[in-house]
Every structure is written in C-alpha cells, then in structure tokens.
Amino acid sequence: MKKILAILASLAISAAALTACSDKGSSSQSDTASAFQAQAGDSEAEKPAVVVKEPDIKSVITSGAEFINISNDKLLEATDGTFTKENAMVYDENDNEVYAKYSLGKSDSILNGTVKLPAEYEVTTTVNFVKGKLKKYTERVENVTEEDADQILDNFIAAYDGKLPDGYTQFKPVEHGKHKEVGFSKTVNDLVISVTKDDNLDGEIYVYFNIEIYAERYQMDKAK
C-alpha cells in the first residue's frame, strides 16, 4: 500500500509540472490517467501470470483501425479469447468501469515487434473499460535501466515517425526529472499515441506505451 501511495504521489507531481510545460496539451496527465497508470504497477492482489496474446496494436497505430471504444467481445476476438477475467493478473470492476492487467511474457520488443527493447524484459498490458467500451490500452516494461528506457523512447519515435495516418505529428518531448514522454497526436477527437519513462520513487524505472482518445485522456469534456 505504501508503495502504491508513493507511485500516486510521484505521478501527481509529474502531472502538475507537465501541465505547465505542455505542447499542444500533450504533456499533462489527468487525474484519471494518473490513477490508472498507478494501478498498472505492482499490486499485492496480482495472480500468477498467464501469458496472453497481444492484439494487433501495430495496425491500430499505423492505420487508425478501430480499437479504442470497442467492446469486450471485440477485444476477446482480437486476442484469441485470452483477455479474460480468469487470465488477468489483476481484475477490478467498479460500477461501470473495469480495469484488467495481463502478462505478455518476457520479450525483447513491444507493439507487435515494431519497437525493440535493448534487452529482454517482462512486459504487461492493461486495459480500461468504461460502460462496456475500451477507453485505454497500455503496454508496460518494468525495472528498466535508465539507458535502456531512453533507448526505448528513441526506438518508438524511429519506428513510427512518418508512418502514421495523415495529420498525426510528433509533439514536443516533455521532461521533468526522470519523467519523459514522447509521441504523436492529431486533433482532440483522435488518438494520442505515446511512450513514457518514469520511476516509482523506489529507484525502479519503467516505460509504458499508451493509446487513447486525446480529449478523454486529458478530460477536456469535464473542463468545459
């Protein structure tokens, strides 16, 4: 519990700093996103990992294929029926929201092999459903060296720069301490696609890939 609270505190500090230095708004982290990301870390409730099938996230990124806002049934189809409650390392259901964490096993790459990792790491994925619709997808690499974390961010940009649907541009990298976010965005109604490195106050550095609707990530509808 103390570890989770420390992670939340770290992310809250990062969120406040990033809001001040955002480019096109891409740098701020909403309260919802921060809490969700904290959940993606270590948890006392985690079950032994069952390795699941990674969805075709490469096609989602490069073609804008339907993914965010799909139903749980569609996600099951996209993962050969492996993203089940039984296979989840963590599965939390509260009112109209579902959070689930799964293992993608040990790998030297993420995003269907398109982003190389400097070494093999354990990779997890988390999904967040609201009212039956997928709102956020994350792939996370734990306990990364700082050098490897920076390399992963560089590899992500190199892998997708110029290969996204028309209109997507790279936003200015956002840095605050060990926190660094790089990625691409289009309009507030389109996806924001990014990779971030951060630490959990215990000196453990992690890297995570995020994809969700821009306006929903930054709760722009609630700001009106």
Side-chain angles (χ1 to χ4, degrees):
M1 178 63 69
K2 294 171 74 176
K3 189 172 185 179
I4 294 175
L5 292 175
I7 296 170
L8 286 169
S10 173
L11 289 167
I13 292 169
S14 296
L18 295 179
T19 300
C21 61
S22 68
D23 178 74
K24 295 169 60 182
S26 297
S27 61
S28 65
Q29 292 285 352
S30 69
D31 291 339
T32 298
S34 296
F36 179 81
Q37 192 55 47
Q39 285 180 296
D42 296 333
S43 169
E44 295 178 0
E46 287 186 5
K47 298 189 302 183
V50 175
V51 176
V52 297
K53 180 182 177 181
E54 182 182 18
D56 188 5
I57 198 67
K58 174 186 175 183
S59 293
V60 175
I61 298 171
T62 58
S63 70
E66 181 185 21
F67 190 63
I68 298 302
N69 288 324
I70 64 172
S71 67
N72 183 64
D73 287 344
K74 287 289 186 181
L75 181 61
L76 283 172
E77 289 179 15
T79 59
D80 288 351
T82 57
F83 273 48
T84 63
K85 181 176 181 179
E86 292 73 22
N87 286 342
M89 299 170 68
V90 178
Y91 191 93
D92 292 325
E93 190 169 1
N94 184 19
D95 294 330
N96 291 318
E97 296 189 28
V98 172
Y99 162 85
K101 177 179 179 179
Y102 300 93
S103 172
L104 292 179
K106 198 168 186 178
S107 179
D108 62 358
S109 65
I110 58 173
L111 310 184
N112 306 124
T114 57
V115 178
K116 296 299 180 182
L117 308 179
E120 281 196 341
Y121 287 101
E122 291 292 337
V123 182
T124 58
T125 178
T126 57
V127 292
N128 190 18
F129 282 87
V130 178
K131 295 181 179 179
K133 293 184 177 181
L134 178 64
K135 291 299 181 179
K136 183 175 184 179
Y137 176 86
T138 299
E139 289 188 17
R140 177 164 163 144
V141 186
E142 301 284 356
N143 298 323
V144 185
T145 67
E146 186 160 11
E147 182 179 1
D148 281 0
D150 289 329
Q151 186 62 58
I152 295 168
L153 268 61
D154 290 343
N155 291 351
F156 170 72
I157 293 298
Y160 289 105
D161 191 23
K163 298 178 182 178
L164 299 177
D166 289 344
Y168 278 90
T169 58
Q170 183 180 344
F171 59 74
K172 182 180 178 181
V174 178
E175 297 185 64
H176 177 71
K178 283 189 171 66
H179 182 108
K180 182 176 180 180
E181 179 184 11
V182 300
F184 306 88
S185 61
K186 189 176 179 181
T187 74
V188 297
N189 297 316
D190 294 293
L191 298 174
V192 54
I193 304 163
S194 66
V195 170
T196 304
K197 79 165 184 176
D198 211 337
D199 75 301
N200 61 9
L201 295 186
D202 284 337
E204 297 174 353
I205 297 174
Y206 57 90
V207 174
Y208 60 92
F209 162 82
N210 258 355
I211 184 167
E212 56 194 315
I213 300 296
Y214 187 105
E216 293 177 355
R217 176 186 287 192
Y218 303 110
Q219 297 186 306
M220 297 178 70
D221 55 335
K222 296 182 180 180
K224 295 180 181 179

